[in-house]
Amino acid sequence: MGLLFKNEGHVVFKPAKDVDLTPASSELYLRANVKAPRLAGFLVKVFAWFLESRIFGTLLLFILKRDNLIHKLVTNAELEEPPVHVPLHPFDDKEEQDVKQVGSELSPPELVQQAIECLPVSLEKTLNGSNFSFRHWTISDYSRAYTSGEITPRTVAEHLIAAIHESSTPPLQMSFFINYKAEDILKQATESTLRYEQGVPISALDGVPIAIKDEIDCLPYPTTGGTKWLHNLRPCTDDACCVKCLRLCGAVLVGKTNMHELGAGTSGINPHYGATRNPYSRSKISGGSSSGSAAVVASGLCPVALGVDGGGSVRMPAALCGVVGLKPTFGRVPHSGVLPLNWTVGMVGILAGTVEDAFIVYAAISCQLPPRQLSLSPKVNFPLLNSTKPISSIKLAKYSEWFNDCSDDIRECCSNALERLQKQYGWKTVEVTIPEIEMMRLAHYVTIGSECSTSLSAFLEKLDFKELGWDARVALAVYGAFSSKEYIKAQKIRNRQMQFHMNLFTQADVIVSPTVGVTAYTILDDAFNTGELDYINGAALVRYSIAGNFLGLPAVTVPVGYDKSGLPIGLQLIGKPWSEATLIHIAFALQDLYVSEYRKPEVYYDLLNKNSVF
């Protein structure tokens, strides 16, 4: 770390401008110092009781923060930088390669059409006679099937409702959804079918099933945040802005997906609505907190779903479930109508079976709907994926010690992906040093915890804590223990990291890493009713996600293989602010190297009834 000196419990840091980011840097990589056993069942209840105790709680929380280095690296750190409370980046109109500039004043259907025109026309030809062993049906597949009359949105909706019912009951019990209404799905699909029969579909998204994380307002459903109580205190009265955009495009919104309660965990195990199971192995977690959204895409129920990413909550489950996860720049997608669990780190994100589908939905929800707010990004660049060759001269920044801090299977798989990118496209990997990563993780934890606790404070005063899951009770007890001093220190750390990362982006186009440090782990029986506290696995899952949220940077994960047990592995790309077009370009090129190797999940539904293709 960029230290001037260090005493026991007291650290003074060099100014950010004086910290060496080169490969020769003397900065040490500090691995996550998580000191907490896994707890579930009766033990997590005992732990929660102690934390909530006036006598023992304060002492126990002090010990937890001390042993996990929060006191040393955050509370008592001395930093020169002033705090940066919101990771807003000025819009940078630098040229990106092979893009089309689009005005954000266009309507959602117009933006979708602009995105469709950027896609390769050859995608349709890959269906027949391809070397794919498995491929997710795309938005374009649905649109073509509807337009040709091969199938109707109404029929797809009927298949979908039957599949949701089957997946929700024994023996599968996948727990994909918190709420869905068959009559509402059929109503939307019938209206879409009539538009196709009349030859006037609204957009390529017309009739396409899309699921919404239950952290985002979407009528006629309550927004629970994965709880049994929040919707009673905060009723849903309108669609979120991103949902309005999809509805204007004719998408069939199929319900609210399961999530980790209050987004306060990484496993996706919800004691109220069930543990969302991984379609690649029903005994494994799907990851949190956007667990249901990742799993419905992986299982074929929807080509796309919306999630919210506050600490990797879109990218982590996407990687664990073998799908694409895109988190845009902070401020790119309007956030109105999303539960205000964390104001400065949470962002609407997209989970999709393919990069091109993530791009299409990104285009739709980046619209600025009336009443128009001053857009942070008056121009949007769309990547020309129909270019004859991928963009050239890309530099990928890699911090090897951080990159390699993962399981052997992930390290081998992601390293191989970089080699294939270099061999296929001639892109260069640039070795760098990213200082103080563990310090950034702790500062993000203080930030997201403080914001969650504050946003819920008025509700929690009226709440009987028996309505909360036990793991959520523990999380809220810890969150409420952070002080204003710690929150301000965390924002000073945010300033340092923003300076470090902007410096790194003068040397490279993107930062590359694995998406998670471990693949999906087993759901143990003792976690079903109480949730679980597994901070060691949790720290491994969030290891590579923090910069995207804490610093407001765009990021994407793409599947690049499987571990020895057949569980998916993702590679993450972190971009400069407002560089979604470049990220999508690189992700699309990476997908092209691996798409023929993708494997069919254990639980998969073919809503288009094209089983003969695979």
Side-chain angles (χ1 to χ4, degrees):
M1 294 178 290
L3 303 182
L4 285 177
F5 63 83
K6 176 173 65 175
N7 295 320
E8 184 63 31
H10 183 76
V11 178
V12 178
F13 287 88
K14 297 177 186 176
K17 59 183 175 60
D18 297 334
V19 178
D20 184 6
L21 307 183
T22 69
S25 174
S26 60
E27 296 293 314
L28 297 176
Y29 175 66
L30 180 64
R31 285 179 166 79
N33 186 58
V34 178
K35 293 183 178 178
R38 179 191 178 274
L39 299 176
F42 178 70
L43 289 178
V44 78
K45 294 182 181 181
V46 172
F47 190 57
W49 287 327
F50 272 108
L51 282 179
E52 292 166 357
S53 163
R54 292 184 179 181
I55 299 174
F56 300 107
T58 302
L59 176 61
L60 186 53
L61 287 162
F62 176 88
I63 293 170
L64 283 172
K65 291 198 284 185
R66 182 199 65 192
D67 289 354
N68 288 284
L69 297 185
I70 289 175
H71 285 163
K72 179 177 285 190
L73 297 181
V74 180
T75 315
N76 298 324
E78 291 193 20
L79 309 108
E80 173 185 281
E81 293 77 20
V84 170
H85 293 281
V86 181
L88 287 177
H89 298 272
F91 182 67
D92 189 350
D93 198 18
K94 287 182 180 176
E95 292 292 327
E96 291 185 275
Q97 297 182 51
D98 288 340
V99 298
K100 173 168 65 174
Q101 202 166 82
V102 177
S104 60
E105 76 283 354
L106 295 179
S107 70
E110 290 170 332
L111 288 167
V112 166
Q113 183 56 36
Q114 292 289 325
I116 293 290
E117 292 172 5
C118 293
L119 299 180
V121 294
S122 59
L123 283 177
E124 184 174 1
K125 299 176 183 176
T126 62
L127 274 175
N128 302 310
S130 69
N131 16 1
F132 297 141
S133 57
F134 167 74
R135 185 175 72 81
H136 285 281
W137 298 129
T138 66
I139 290 167
S140 295
D141 293 328
Y142 279 90
S143 181
R144 281 192 294 267
Y146 296 156
T147 302
S148 68
E150 180 182 346
I151 200 169
T152 67
R154 170 84 188 198
T155 302
V156 165
E158 290 168 352
H159 294 167
L160 172 67
I161 292 164
I164 294 174
H165 177 74
E166 179 182 294
S167 69
S168 304
T169 53
L172 294 179
Q173 292 184 299
M174 301 298 287
S175 300
F176 291 150
F177 285 89
I178 286 177
N179 210 336
Y180 75 97
K181 295 179 185 289
E183 60 273 19
D184 184 66
I185 296 171
L186 290 172
K187 178 178 180 294
Q188 295 177 73
T190 299
E191 292 169 354
S192 177
T193 298
L194 289 174
R195 290 193 291 270
Y196 276 100
E197 289 174 350
Q198 295 165 5
V200 289
I202 299 172
S203 75
L205 285 175
D206 205 335
V208 175
I210 296 181
I212 309 296
K213 183 182 182 181
D214 207 1
E215 193 176 338
I216 303 171
D217 287 342
C218 177
L219 295 172
Y221 305 102
T223 302
T224 74
T227 74
K228 284 289 189 178
W229 55 270
L230 185 54
H231 57 288
N232 295 321
L233 301 176
R234 180 199 173 274
C236 174
T237 58
D238 196 4
D239 287 335
C241 185
C242 54
V243 171
K244 288 181 181 179
C245 290
L246 296 177
R247 210 182 284 279
L248 287 170
C249 292
V252 174
L253 305 173
V254 300
K256 306 298 286 294
T257 55
N258 202 356
M259 59 178 285
H260 206 108
E261 186 173 9
L262 295 173
T266 56
S267 68
I269 298 172
N270 187 309
H272 309 299
Y273 301 105
T276 303
R277 298 175 181 272
N278 194 313
Y280 277 89
S281 175
R282 289 185 292 128
S283 66
K284 305 295 183 182
I285 65 163
S286 58
S289 62
S290 304
S291 49
S293 290
V296 295
V297 172
S299 66
L301 290 176
C302 301
V304 186
L306 292 188
V308 180
D309 195 316
S313 292
V314 162
R315 290 159 288 150
M316 280 189 291
L320 296 179
C321 292
V323 299
V324 174
L326 173 65
K327 188 208 76 63
T329 305
F330 184 88
R332 174 71 87 184
V333 175
H335 208 66
S336 62
V338 180
L339 285 181
L341 297 178
N342 34 75
W343 299 283
T344 72
V345 295
M347 297 155 235
V348 173
I350 302 149
L351 301 106
T354 64
V355 172
E356 53 269 30
D357 281 358
F359 167 40
I360 292 169
V361 171
Y362 160 72
I365 67 175
S366 61
C367 174
Q368 300 291 322
L369 291 178
R372 296 192 184 276
Q373 304 168 351
L374 180 62
S375 176
L376 296 171
S377 52
K379 302 172 184 175
V380 184
N381 285 339
F382 283 1
L384 294 172
L385 301 181
N386 53 12
S387 180
T388 54
K389 58 182 181 179
I391 53 178
S392 59
S393 304
I394 291 295
K395 292 181 180 178
L396 308 164
K398 176 188 177 188
Y399 180 26
S400 288
E401 287 194 75
W402 180 52
F403 188 101
N404 294 331
D405 189 10
C406 55
S407 71
D408 291 342
D409 285 350
I410 293 175
R411 180 170 57 253
E412 181 180 342
C413 193
C414 291
S415 297
N416 181 58
L418 291 187
E419 291 173 7
R420 290 174 73 168
L421 284 173
Q422 181 168 348
K423 182 178 179 181
Q424 183 70 23
Y425 306 120
W427 295 345
K428 304 297 183 186
T429 300
V430 180
E431 286 289 339
V432 298
T433 297
I434 307 176
E436 303 165 20
I437 287 176
E438 175 63 1
M439 188 176 174
M440 177 169 61
R441 183 184 73 84
L442 294 174
H444 170 269
Y445 186 56
V446 168
T447 301
I448 194 171
S450 299
E451 292 181 358
C452 181
S453 177
T454 302
S455 71
L456 294 171
S457 57
F459 301 139
L460 295 176
E461 291 174 2
K462 308 170 186 176
L463 183 68
D464 181 349
F465 268 53
K466 292 179 182 177
E467 294 189 60
L468 282 164
W470 288 96
D471 61 334
R473 286 173 67 166
V474 170
L476 289 174
V478 175
Y479 293 170
F482 293 129
S483 66
S484 58
K485 175 184 176 180
E486 287 162 341
Y487 185 77
I488 296 296
K489 289 287 182 73
Q491 308 323 302
K492 291 165 78 74
I493 293 167
R494 177 181 260 167
N495 186 337
R496 287 175 69 80
Q497 285 293 337
M498 288 176 79
Q499 292 185 51
F500 292 154
H501 281 71
M502 292 308 104
N503 189 326
L504 290 169
F505 285 131
T506 66
Q507 306 171 47
D509 300 284
V510 298
I511 298 168
V512 64
S513 75
T515 309
V516 292
V518 293
T519 51
Y521 59 84
T522 301
I523 303 169
L524 300 180
D525 290 344
D526 60 357
F528 283 105
N529 294 326
T530 62
E532 68 175 5
L533 304 176
D534 189 343
Y535 291 118
I536 292 176
N537 269 323
L541 288 174
V542 304
R543 179 163 299 139
Y544 303 102
S545 300
I546 301 306
N549 300 101
F550 198 46
L551 311 182
L553 302 173
V556 65
T557 178
V558 179
V560 293
Y562 306 86
D563 69 7
K564 291 181 177 63
S565 300
L567 296 169
I569 292 170
L571 185 75
Q572 177 182 230
L573 306 162
I574 304 169
K576 305 174 186 178
W578 314 113
S579 69
E580 285 87 353
T582 297
L583 275 186
I584 293 168
H585 258 304
I586 299 171
F588 187 69
L590 180 62
Q591 175 183 265
D592 192 53
L593 296 179
Y594 283 92
V595 66
S596 64
E597 302 170 20
Y598 289 163
R599 303 175 189 174
K600 188 176 182 179
E602 175 186 302
V603 176
Y604 181 75
Y605 294 95
D606 177 10
L607 299 189
L608 292 181
N609 274 357
K610 290 175 176 279
N611 288 314
S612 59
V613 176
F614 298 121

